[in-house]
């Protein structure tokens, strides 16, 4: 276990933004996590925030006034066609392992940064695959008790970029996947083709937190709002947030060192010494414009840390 005080969060987020956390504790085993939680005061305390790869976070320039636990509990075990995986394993290590072992179901998640824990929390996905597709159960730890439990797939309540973990705040410790045997060469080919497509949107070294806003599920929108959206913008039942942001002029706009990509209106990039304030102001500006034009309140996919919700 490694404890550091006044730790600059900009150094562990893919966006390269974020002031200091009062304390950052890096853990590599479940025992270390149990130790930390058992030492928490019994009343009047703020639970520590658990993070993985910091690839889906916008952290305030003021940082985080509390303890952050960085999860590096790694490890993958194969049982037949099942993989049992610790949540601090990087998603890329899991994808690579599944390909090498000739197990299909995760190969299109190649290139998504971060850990398995973060991917389950936000039900990460790309190119028609999501992390929940072949998941059978999740082992969790309740930070308040601190007791472990096995959660079924139903209890995870996975939806598009959503899971029950966003509400219940259980710590994800481990997950089990049931995959299908396949030719490793074919799986690698699919992964390579996927990665090639990804590099167009996310060139190497880009400082960003992935797409900022969630796309919209057409079926969830009231008819009155859906009528305002040109039909060609609806793809596979979803309306890309980027399409609406583009309509209100977001592409290429900037504030300070934060720029909205000129090729993708839902991609906010830190060009150098970007600040959370500039990112937030720019996101809010276009959130408001989309709301004014379409009556839709876009929802951030990225987790805002120590920042107010956009609708406040
Ligand atoms: C270049 C780039 C491309 C991306 N492409 C995609 C994409 O194609 N598809 C996609 O879905 N996402 C994408 N993302 C977003 C991001 O990579 C994913 O959301 C990723 O799964 C986040 O994992 P993480 O470990 O970095 O989570 P973090 O950013 O560290 O945390 C995100 C949230 O998960 C919670 N969390 C993390 N670990 C745990 C745990 N063990 N238990 C409970 N809660 C936990 C945190 O508290 C936080 O609220 C991209 C990001 C970047 C930078």
């Amino acid at each position: 276990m490694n404890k550091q005080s006044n730790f600059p969060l900009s150094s562990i987020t893919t966006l390269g933004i974020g002031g200091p956390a009062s304390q950052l504790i890096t853990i590599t085993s479940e025992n270390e996590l149990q130790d930390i939680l058992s030492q928490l005061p019994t009343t009047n305390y703020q639970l520590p925030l658990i993070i993985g790869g910091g690839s889906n976070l916008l952290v305030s320039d003021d940082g985080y006034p509390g303890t952050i636990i960085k999860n590096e509990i790694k490890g993958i075990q194969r049982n037949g066609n099942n993989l049992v995986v610790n949540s601090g394993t990087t998603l890329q290590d899991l994808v690579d392992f599944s390909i090498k072992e000739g197990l299909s179901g995760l190969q299109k998640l190649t290139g998504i940064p971060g850990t398995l824990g973060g991917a389950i929390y936000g039900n990460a996905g790309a190119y028609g695959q999501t992390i929940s597709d072949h998941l059978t159960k999740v082992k969790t730890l309740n930070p308040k008790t601190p007791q472990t439990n096995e959660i079924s797939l139903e209890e995870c309540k996975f939806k598009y970029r959503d899971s029950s973990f966003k509400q219940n705040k259980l710590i994800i410790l481990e997950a089990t996947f049931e995959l299908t045997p396949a030719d490793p060469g074919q799986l690698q080919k699919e992964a390579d083709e996927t990665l090639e497509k990804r590099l167009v949107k996310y060139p190497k070294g880009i400082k960003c937190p992935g797409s900022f806003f969630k796309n919209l599920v057409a079926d969830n929108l009231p008819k009155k709002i859906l009528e305002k959206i040109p039909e060609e913008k609806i793809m596979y039942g979803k309306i890309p947030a980027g399409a609406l942001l583009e309509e209100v002029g977001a592409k290429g706009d900037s504030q300070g060192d934060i720029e909205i990509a000129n090729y993708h209106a839902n991609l906010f990039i830190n060009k150098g010494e970007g600040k959370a304030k500039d990112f937030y102001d720019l996101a809010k500006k276009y959130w408001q414009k989309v709301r004014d034009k379409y009556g839709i309140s876009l929802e951030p996919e990225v987790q805002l840390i120590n920042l107010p919700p956009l609708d406040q």
Side-chain angles (χ1 to χ4, degrees):
M1 181 178 349
N2 181 17
K3 290 188 185 183
Q4 287 158 288
S5 300
N6 218 19
F7 185 90
L9 293 168
S10 56
S11 65
I12 52 164
T13 57
T14 55
L15 181 60
I17 287 180
S22 309
Q23 183 173 229
L24 181 93
I25 309 180
T26 306
I27 52 156
T28 54
S29 72
E30 191 183 323
N31 282 345
E32 289 179 348
L33 181 58
Q34 290 279 8
D35 273 356
I36 297 165
L37 297 173
S38 64
Q39 286 164 27
L40 290 174
T42 45
T43 51
N44 255 344
Y45 64 94
Q46 184 194 11
L47 285 172
L49 173 70
I50 182 128
I51 65 162
S55 64
N56 209 21
L57 304 178
L58 173 61
V59 182
S60 157
D61 298 316
D62 296 332
Y64 184 75
T67 296
I68 294 193
I69 299 178
K70 183 162 164 42
N71 175 18
E72 292 189 5
I73 311 174
K74 298 173 198 257
I76 310 175
Q77 272 191 322
R78 178 172 181 170
N79 289 329
N81 293 334
N82 289 355
L83 294 182
V84 183
V85 191
N86 288 325
S87 59
T89 306
T90 66
L91 192 57
Q92 192 62 53
D93 281 352
L94 170 58
V95 169
D96 291 343
F97 185 89
S98 67
I99 292 174
K100 194 166 67 62
E101 293 288 317
L103 292 171
S104 173
L106 298 169
Q107 65 278 6
K108 291 190 180 166
L109 304 180
T110 190
I112 301 181
T115 61
L116 175 62
I120 292 175
Y121 180 89
N123 194 15
Y127 299 98
Q129 267 179 9
T130 63
I131 193 69
S132 54
D133 291 347
H134 301 276
L135 208 136
T136 56
K137 58 185 176 186
V138 177
K139 183 179 162 190
T140 61
L141 192 152
N142 185 336
K144 289 183 195 151
T145 45
Q147 274 174 349
T148 59
N149 202 359
E150 261 188 12
I151 303 277
S152 69
L153 187 63
E154 291 69 39
E155 288 170 295
C156 294
K157 297 198 173 90
F158 286 115
K159 284 190 247 149
Y160 168 68
R161 298 295 174 270
D162 198 18
S163 74
S164 58
F165 301 108
K166 288 193 174 178
Q167 271 73 51
N168 63 29
K169 295 290 173 191
L170 294 174
I171 297 177
I172 299 156
L173 283 180
E174 180 190 280
T176 304
F177 296 88
E178 192 178 338
L179 302 168
T180 316
D183 170 44
Q186 177 57 31
L187 295 176
Q188 189 61 57
K189 188 167 168 272
E190 280 180 45
D192 291 347
E193 283 167 4
T194 305
L195 206 54
E196 216 168 288
K197 287 186 218 152
R198 292 187 66 85
L199 282 171
V200 177
K201 180 172 176 193
Y202 300 115
K204 275 205 170 99
I206 187 171
K207 283 160 83 175
C208 75
S211 296
F212 185 72
F213 291 106
K214 284 184 188 177
N215 294 329
L216 298 146
V217 180
D219 283 351
N220 295 347
L221 292 177
K223 204 165 163 247
K224 242 169 72 186
I225 289 180
L226 208 52
E227 278 166 5
K228 292 191 202 167
I229 298 168
E231 209 157 293
E232 69 273 12
K233 304 272 182 214
I234 305 175
M235 289 189 282
Y236 305 108
K238 301 236 175 62
I239 300 138
L244 304 185
L245 292 160
E246 187 177 341
E247 288 295 314
V248 294
K251 266 184 176 175
D253 196 3
S254 65
Q255 180 169 321
D257 259 0
I258 303 297
E259 191 176 283
I260 302 176
N262 57 14
Y263 58 92
H264 201 298
N266 196 14
L267 181 58
F268 292 60
I269 304 167
N270 176 6
K271 301 299 278 184
E273 302 298 313
K275 295 280 167 244
K277 183 183 183 314
D278 290 328
F279 193 123
Y280 186 91
D281 287 353
L282 207 51
K284 178 130 188 175
K285 175 176 165 184
Y286 286 99
W287 177 87
Q288 192 64 54
K289 281 180 184 265
V290 168
R291 197 178 147 103
D292 292 347
K293 178 158 182 181
Y294 297 103
I296 291 172
S297 299
L298 290 175
E299 213 185 301
E301 183 175 324
V302 169
Q303 303 302 302
L304 306 183
I305 307 294
N306 199 18
L307 288 165
L310 290 175
D311 58 1
Q312 275 182 16

